Amino acid sequence: MQFDEVKRNLESRGYAVSCFPDARAAMDYLDAQIDGMTVGLGGSVTLEQLGAYERLSTHNTVHWHHRLTEGQSHMDVRAAANESEVYISSVNALARTGEIVNIDHICNRVAAIAYGPQKVYLVVGRNKIAESEADALYRARNVAGPLNARRLHRNTPCAIRADKCYDCDSPDRICRGLSVLWRKPAMSDIEILLIDADLGY
């Protein structure tokens, strides 16, 4: 995929953008950029596929609620992740025009992306790119949401059918907060890594 248009639109909105031919090249880049730091990871299948925790934890202090050590709670690790020097996440959808859409359950991920860590990296596979802001919102709700609900074994209509959002009232609902970044938040340092591979949901 050619990322020229997406890269140009993101840069016009204030983001730094790097492009990579595959997941390994992107992970090599992150591994070289981040050394001796505290790192928080957002809940992300993409980061699982990159092996981000395994690579970065060899020379950084990495906080990820997908990898708990003895005595740690999910909430303690999420809090530590949000207070880290560096935060890494993926997104639910990225519009070709430059808007970034995320839907979250606890909202720790959207909070850390928008404000807190000194540096944020957003790792985005080509499958997350939608044509417009409306298409990006549709993708987040009707593609990423159901697949993540099914992955997490939630008792929701979207997890059972894995076809669309039903805007349900289930206690297991994971879609509880929406973030749309129209521009890079002021005074933030966010770099977007565009990867020519299908990654995550």
Side-chain angles (χ1 to χ4, degrees), residues 18 32 34 48 58 75 89 116-117 121 123 129 145 175 179-180 185:
S18 299
I34 305 167
E48 288 270 11
T58 62
M75 291 309 292
S89 181
Y121 292 95
V123 184
I129 297 174
C175 299
S179 167
V180 180

Side-chain angles (χ1 to χ4, degrees), residues 16-90:
V17 183
S18 299
C19 301
F20 302 92
D22 53 43
R24 181 173 182 174
M27 193 60 238
D28 287 346
Y29 174 79
L30 283 173
D31 200 28
Q33 297 297 309
I34 305 167
D35 183 50
M37 305 184 81
T38 56
V39 181
L41 302 182
S44 169
V45 172
T46 296
L47 297 185
E48 288 270 11
Q49 292 171 328
L50 263 63
Y53 181 88
E54 289 73 19
R55 285 282 296 272
L56 294 173
S57 61
T58 62
H59 55 108
N60 298 277
T61 301
V62 182
H63 303 288
W64 200 20
H65 61 281
H66 288 196
R67 300 285 192 278
L68 297 181
T69 59
E70 187 175 351
Q72 290 184 318
S73 73
H74 285 271
M75 291 309 292
D76 288 342
V77 173
R78 285 186 177 95
N82 284 35
E83 295 171 0
S84 296
E85 296 168 280
V86 177
Y87 194 81
I88 309 172
S89 181
S90 189

Side-chain angles (χ1 to χ4, degrees), residues 109-128:
R109 182 172 58 99
V110 296
I113 290 170
Y115 182 81
Q118 300 167 20
K119 176 76 176 186
V120 173
Y121 292 95
L122 298 178
V123 184
V124 184
R126 64 190 175 201
N127 54 311
K128 303 285 187 77

Side-chain angles (χ1 to χ4, degrees), residues 4 9 13 20 28 39-40 57-58 64 66 69 91 109-110 116 121 137 145 153-154 161-162 170 176 183 189:
D4 295 349
N9 289 335
R13 293 167 185 261
F20 302 92
D28 287 346
V39 181
S57 61
T58 62
W64 200 20
H66 288 196
T69 59
V91 304
R109 182 172 58 99
V110 296
Y121 292 95
L137 179 57
H153 308 291
R154 298 299 175 128
R161 299 180 180 92
S170 170
R176 293 176 178 261
R183 298 287 189 280
D189 185 357

Side-chain angles (χ1 to χ4, degrees), residues 95-150:
R96 189 175 295 278
T97 45
E99 296 88 357
I100 298 170
V101 177
N102 278 299
I103 293 176
D104 213 349
H105 179 215
I106 295 174
C107 294
N108 58 299
R109 182 172 58 99
V110 296
I113 290 170
Y115 182 81
Q118 300 167 20
K119 176 76 176 186
V120 173
Y121 292 95
L122 298 178
V123 184
V124 184
R126 64 190 175 201
N127 54 311
K128 303 285 187 77
I129 297 174
E131 286 302 308
S132 67
E133 180 182 348
D135 292 328
L137 179 57
Y138 181 91
R139 184 191 192 284
R141 292 195 71 172
N142 296 287
V143 178
L147 290 173
N148 277 307
R150 174 170 280 189

